[in-house]
Amino acid sequence: MIDIVNRAAPKRNGLPVGELVFIMAANRILDPRPKYTIPDWYQRTYLPEILGIDLPLDSAYQTLTRCLDYLTDDVQMEIEMALAARVMEAFHLKPGSFIYDVTSTFVEGEGGADILQYGYSRDHRPDCRQVNYSLCVTMKPTVPLFHQAFPGNTVDSKTVKETMVRFKDKLGLDGCLVVDRGIVTSANIVEIVDERKLDLVGGLRMDKRFRALALRTPLKSFGKAFTLKNEVLRAKEFMVEIGGNGRRCILYSSKDKAERDRKSREIRLAKARQGLSEIAVSLTREGAGRKPTRNGLERRIVLLLEKSHCERLIDWRLVGGRGGRRLKWEVNESAIKEEEILDGRYWLMTTLDVPPKEILETYRSRDAVERAFRITKETIKIRPIWNRTEQHIKAHLFVCFIAYLLYSLLELEARKQIPGITGVKMLDKLKAMMTEAKRTIDTSEAEEFLSAMVERE
């Protein structure tokens, strides 16, 4: 890794970029901390002996920070493409399937960089600015190939074209791409399948067309039931025109999921009923206080129904003037019946010519990239992000990607010796080894040191 980074980001003088990136990545997987505390941590490990590099405590923080300036977008791409090729060759990886997904991480405070924007927060922090980043990993074993940073308000589906440049143009990969429904659009299907000639397994949104098709499909028309991890499912296939061509779309029905959907709807409806009842009661109270405006009430009700995902399920209206305004609402029973039909049903689209059970198994392998995101956030601790400029924020994400790559390869090697060992347990053993550093000093220094101790005694 170090030599690839140094070739992509050569430095005329000072400590090489490759070694500095390795130090920061190693810190991320062993003991994540702010960069100004890394030099002290570094001196307490075996890394100085391994790398043969000394980080002076008085200037190391500036050295590590300046290193980030060398990690531009083009340099990051060059490093990741070279690393992906080397890893696949060195570990004899010949993946036929790949998983791609996008997540986000938030920052505290305002954040002046343009890449920090408000957007859909996977961390449930819509009040904070964030940066989005994508990850492409191999399937079985899970090894990251590349990542990319995007502004925090970028929609997942808008990341595919740039991803295809790395995936197809730079790495020349072929096989099947597995993606979430947030990425599958008509334009992206055309890009991935028709233009890039890749296979695809992806979720489909239950939009108006697919909702209507699912509603008019009776359960008795589904195929024979099959079991996947103790879950009983049935499937029915359709050819649906998407992007100018017929696509194989599969409608699945799960009893377990239907029960979960029913319980979830009951909880959401209960919250919506309670909220609407509170609003209705508040309008009947007598008092000299200022009455809410019609627009204010409408915004409050719409927000309540959106938050509980009950927009389709409850009909409401405001009656009367400002002095005697009242809220009238009722549950839409026909909408409830539709939801009951759709309970447990969902769509997948694929180009693979294998049974529906195998398609679903492949799609559920997306858990691997979700686990990768959890590792970057919980183990590698991609946040808090202390960097202020866009260049340094992107470089920080790159260092975390390198850390996750090292984590994955260490886990891969460890499982050859201890089948089933997790990366976390492996890191616990490695941390103990790295922090038990015992410095060696030459004999003359040792004699002086011991003599001084004897004299003090």
Side-chain angles (χ1 to χ4, degrees), residues 323-423:
R325 188 170 289 132
R326 296 293 182 266
L327 170 63
K328 302 291 184 181
W329 63 272
E330 61 182 358
V331 175
N332 187 329
E333 295 299 336
S334 62
I336 294 290
K337 289 180 180 179
E338 283 191 359
E339 292 299 315
E340 289 174 348
I341 296 174
L342 295 175
D343 283 348
R345 297 189 179 189
Y346 54 95
W347 289 94
L348 297 183
M349 176 265 163
T350 185
T351 59
L352 297 178
D353 187 19
V354 296
K357 180 177 179 179
E358 293 184 32
I359 298 298
L360 186 56
E361 284 180 315
T362 301
Y363 182 70
R364 288 186 174 178
S365 65
R366 291 169 20 263
D367 291 346
V369 77
E370 295 297 336
R371 176 175 177 265
F373 287 141
R374 284 197 302 273
I375 291 169
T376 60
K377 293 180 181 182
E378 296 173 7
T379 303
I380 295 172
K381 298 190 185 304
I382 199 168
R383 62 173 180 263
I385 297 177
W386 301 99
N387 310 93
R388 299 176 64 86
T389 68
E390 182 166 325
Q391 168 62 36
H392 284 191
I393 291 170
K394 288 183 176 180
H396 168 75
L397 296 179
F398 171 75
V399 169
C400 291
F401 167 81
I402 296 296
Y404 176 60
L405 174 61
L406 294 174
Y407 174 100
S408 302
L409 298 179
L410 285 169
E411 185 178 67
L412 197 60
E413 283 297 295
R415 285 179 174 175
K416 293 179 181 178
Q417 305 297 325
I418 310 174
I421 188 173
T422 64

Side-chain angles (χ1 to χ4, degrees), residues 106-123:
F106 65 89
V107 298
E108 302 284 0
E110 287 300 315
D114 290 339
I115 200 170
L116 300 176
Q117 299 289 337
Y118 293 105
Y120 171 66
S121 174
R122 284 82 168 174
D123 304 309

Side-chain angles (χ1 to χ4, degrees), residues 314-329:
I314 293 179
D315 296 327
W316 62 275
R317 66 186 187 279
L318 292 172
V319 298
R322 186 165 186 172
R325 188 170 289 132
R326 296 293 182 266
L327 170 63
K328 302 291 184 181
W329 63 272

Side-chain angles (χ1 to χ4, degrees), residues 139-319:
M139 187 189 301
K140 298 178 183 178
T142 303
V143 176
L145 297 178
F146 58 83
H147 91 294
Q148 192 167 4
F150 298 94
N153 57 359
T154 304
V155 179
D156 292 3
S157 59
K158 298 296 183 181
T159 67
V160 170
K161 273 194 174 295
E162 293 185 48
T163 298
M164 285 296 102
V165 172
R166 285 169 161 77
F167 188 91
K168 195 70 176 177
D169 298 343
K170 298 294 184 180
L171 287 175
L173 296 174
D174 282 303
C176 178
L177 196 62
V178 182
V179 296
D180 197 3
R181 63 183 181 180
I183 293 171
V184 177
T185 63
S186 177
N188 286 342
I189 291 174
V190 171
E191 170 78 18
I192 296 168
V193 177
D194 299 338
E195 297 181 9
R196 299 294 183 168
K197 308 302 180 185
L198 297 171
D199 282 316
L200 177 66
V201 173
L204 291 171
R205 293 183 183 276
M206 191 75 80
D207 61 14
K208 186 176 180 180
R209 177 170 59 155
F210 284 101
R211 180 184 177 88
L213 186 54
L215 282 171
R216 64 173 181 262
T217 304
L219 185 59
K220 62 182 180 181
S221 68
F222 281 64
K224 186 178 178 180
F226 61 89
T227 302
L228 187 61
K229 293 186 178 180
N230 299 321
E231 183 181 9
V232 179
L233 301 110
R234 299 175 69 182
K236 183 174 177 61
E237 299 190 29
F238 298 85
M239 287 299 294
V240 181
E241 190 275 325
I242 303 176
N245 289 300
R247 314 288 182 180
R248 183 190 180 196
C249 299
I250 306 174
L251 177 62
Y252 290 89
S253 177
S254 163
K255 289 184 178 180
D256 292 345
K257 186 176 185 301
E259 182 62 18
R260 293 195 300 270
D261 290 345
R262 182 188 65 79
K263 289 181 178 179
S264 173
R265 182 174 57 255
E266 289 177 354
I267 293 172
R268 290 184 284 108
L269 273 172
K271 290 181 178 179
R273 285 191 180 106
Q274 180 181 353
L276 291 172
S277 297
E278 290 174 356
I279 294 174
V281 170
S282 70
L283 293 176
T284 62
R285 293 194 186 112
E286 299 292 335
R290 184 177 180 182
K291 302 295 183 181
T293 65
R294 186 182 188 89
N295 288 340
L297 278 171
E298 288 176 346
R299 284 196 300 270
R300 185 179 172 187
I301 295 168
V302 168
L303 183 62
L304 169 66
L305 295 179
E306 286 180 349
K307 191 173 181 179
S308 58
H309 302 287
C310 290
E311 309 98 306
R312 294 175 178 269
L313 307 181
I314 293 179
D315 296 327
W316 62 275
R317 66 186 187 279
L318 292 172
V319 298

Side-chain angles (χ1 to χ4, degrees), residues 5 8-9 70-80 398:
V5 176
Y70 288 84
L71 302 173
T72 63
D73 291 350
D74 291 340
V75 168
Q76 289 182 33
M77 181 187 290
E78 182 181 345
I79 293 170
E80 290 183 2
F398 171 75

